[in-house]
Amino acid sequence: MLINDKTKYAIPVMAFSAGTIVANVYYSQPILQNIAGALNKPESAVGKIAMLAQMGYGVGMFFLLPLGDKMNRKRLIIAICLLLIVTLVLIANTTHLETLMVLSFFAGIFSTPAQIILPMAASLNKENRGKNVGIVFSGILCGILGSRLISGWLTDIWGWQSVFWFSASLVLLSIFLLSSFLPEVPVKFKGSYLNLLRSTLQLVKQYKTLRQAALLGAFSFGIFCSFWTTLTFHLSGAPFKYPSSAIGLFGIIAIGGALVAPYFGKLADKGQVFKNLALTIGLIIASIIAMLLFPESVGVLIVAIFFLDIGVQATQITNFTRIYALDEEAHSRLNTIYMTAYFIGAGIGTFFGLISWTLGGWHFALLQMLLWSGIAAIIVWLSSKNKL
């Protein structure tokens, strides 16, 4: 266990900072219609902004996250955060869709520090690994979900570009907190960068558990991103016709689910892995079926969002607890494989969500999510029988 005078503050600071940083991948999702209107572009074209941010995050996962095992993590995190601030300021000053797409991709890349921070939580206290990872991951989730509330509210008051000015100021605050409270972690890899990437890929072959978790993570998070992207269009159209600020309020429901999810990290610490996963995927499936049966019921939607979010996030926390126990010397590289798959799933989920919405609206989008959740259930079953 790493110990210093500021250790007791480390976990909450890590949770806040990781959430603040990762929110930049998601700020655009509830305000896509506003951006489309401001730039006079179709929704289908503007929807690519969210997809590119997620794809950029996936690229950052693979090429930047492994550096957490090779470089001083504290300095690495702060350096990338400074690049993120520059990108956010540029986004806040652009009025061209093509430029916004490119900058969104780089904002995704430079949001990587959220996932460099996460494995640090696993190294602070091995006995409470699931609990600490759950707390920091809940911070990430609150950042993801709170971003929808904040972006909708700010957009209605000052316009969509104000969202990114606000975010730049939050990232600057995070830099100050991280420089003050983030612990120093010894560098564990001494080889070259190419050897680092090579050793990262070798982990896929080495650990069956990593392959299982990465595949499950990709499908479950793909469902999550498909849901939130298409929900924006569903709620902004008939019969709801909600403004961006009202759509953002639905993120509060999901934050409640995110706060419950760390409980599953404690269960994972006790070894109840596949029991956890069967329950969490079951919650996802039940939520999607409820929305299919009652597509225009706000009450059903609220309950479904709560349990869908618990299902998705508890799945990820359980997966994190599994993979961080595989190799104490390779936490960042293990996280690289998992999170790369995770955000490839996010990009694919968003892409197919947009296609499904175009072809058949909310009903088709939900059917697509139900298909992915069925595949996720099969992955859990095969993994529990050692057939995957």
Side-chain angles (χ1 to χ4, degrees):
M1 180 174 67
L2 297 175
I3 301 175
N4 61 46
D5 293 339
K6 299 177 180 178
T7 296
K8 64 180 180 179
Y9 302 109
I11 293 296
V13 165
M14 292 162 76
F16 170 79
S17 300
T20 295
I21 294 165
V22 78
N24 292 286
V25 183
Y26 302 94
Y27 278 126
S28 64
Q29 287 188 2
I31 59 174
L32 291 172
Q33 191 174 49
N34 300 80
I35 296 174
L39 302 183
N40 196 27
K41 299 291 183 178
E43 290 179 348
S44 57
V46 173
K48 294 176 183 177
I49 294 171
M51 181 181 70
L52 286 167
Q54 291 160 354
M55 291 178 66
Y57 199 41
V59 170
M61 290 301 99
F62 187 78
F63 290 102
L64 295 182
L65 183 52
L67 291 172
D69 286 336
K70 178 177 172 57
M71 298 176 61
N72 181 293
R73 290 182 183 177
K74 188 172 183 177
R75 295 176 187 173
L76 177 64
I77 290 167
I78 292 173
I80 298 174
C81 282
L82 289 171
L83 293 173
L84 176 59
I85 290 175
V86 173
T87 305
L88 293 172
V89 170
L90 291 174
I91 289 175
N93 284 280
T94 187
T95 56
H96 297 92
L97 178 59
E98 293 75 13
T99 304
L100 183 56
M101 287 181 175
V102 173
L103 290 173
S104 294
F105 180 76
F106 280 100
I109 292 176
F110 298 143
S111 295
T112 303
Q115 295 302 330
I116 300 175
I117 291 170
L118 186 62
M120 294 180 72
S123 64
L124 290 181
N125 187 326
K126 294 179 183 179
E127 290 75 19
N128 293 309
R129 173 177 284 139
K131 177 182 177 182
N132 287 340
V133 168
I135 291 172
V136 175
F137 192 61
S138 287
I140 291 175
L141 300 179
C142 288
I144 292 172
L145 301 166
S147 66
R148 295 175 170 85
L149 174 63
I150 292 169
S151 62
W153 179 63
L154 290 176
T155 297
D156 280 352
I157 298 174
W158 291 300
W160 70 267
Q161 288 163 314
S162 67
V163 174
F164 299 95
W165 283 112
F166 174 78
S167 180
S169 65
L170 279 186
V171 176
L172 185 61
L173 174 60
S174 293
I175 289 176
F176 171 76
L177 292 172
L178 291 169
S179 64
S180 301
F181 297 104
L182 200 65
E184 297 285 350
V185 178
V187 175
K188 298 177 180 179
F189 188 87
K190 304 297 182 181
S192 67
Y193 178 67
L194 288 178
N195 286 336
L196 182 70
L197 293 181
R198 190 177 297 115
S199 70
T200 300
L201 293 174
Q202 288 170 348
L203 293 173
V204 180
K205 182 179 180 181
Q206 184 176 356
Y207 294 114
K208 179 188 293 186
T209 297
L210 178 60
R211 297 194 297 272
Q212 294 171 353
L215 190 59
L216 179 60
F219 275 97
S220 59
F221 199 57
I223 295 165
F224 178 87
C225 292
S226 180
F227 172 76
W228 283 101
T229 300
T230 53
L231 180 67
T232 300
F233 299 134
H234 179 52
L235 293 177
S236 62
F240 306 104
K241 296 186 178 180
Y242 291 152
S244 296
S245 55
I247 295 172
L249 288 173
F250 282 84
I252 296 177
I253 304 163
I255 289 174
L259 296 176
V260 173
Y263 170 75
F264 290 85
K266 296 179 182 179
L267 292 179
D269 284 334
K270 299 177 182 178
Q272 300 181 33
V273 171
F274 292 109
K275 180 180 178 181
N276 265 14
L277 293 176
L279 175 59
T280 59
I281 298 301
L283 289 174
I284 295 171
I285 292 173
S287 300
I288 295 171
I289 291 174
M291 289 184 286
L292 273 168
L293 294 175
F294 304 97
E296 296 183 0
S297 170
V298 176
V300 170
L301 183 60
I302 289 172
V303 174
I305 288 175
F306 182 75
F307 286 105
L308 174 71
D309 197 69
I310 291 176
V312 172
Q313 312 314 344
T315 297
Q316 309 310 341
I317 290 173
T318 303
N319 280 339
F320 283 132
T321 305
R322 293 178 72 198
I323 67 171
Y324 290 152
L326 295 175
D327 188 343
E328 297 292 335
E329 302 297 313
H331 278 173
S332 286
R333 281 167 285 164
L334 289 165
N335 207 32
T336 294
I337 297 300
Y338 181 77
M339 294 308 299
T340 298
Y342 188 71
F343 277 92
I344 288 174
I348 292 173
T350 300
F351 176 73
F352 278 103
L354 291 169
I355 289 179
S356 299
W357 176 265
T358 301
L359 293 176
W362 184 235
H363 184 73
F364 268 40
L366 288 173
L367 286 175
Q368 171 248 162
M369 294 176 225
L370 188 60
L371 173 62
W372 297 150
S373 61
I375 295 173
I378 293 171
I379 292 170
V380 171
W381 183 78
L382 291 175
S383 299
S384 68
K385 302 297 183 182
N386 280 320
K387 294 182 180 180
L388 185 64

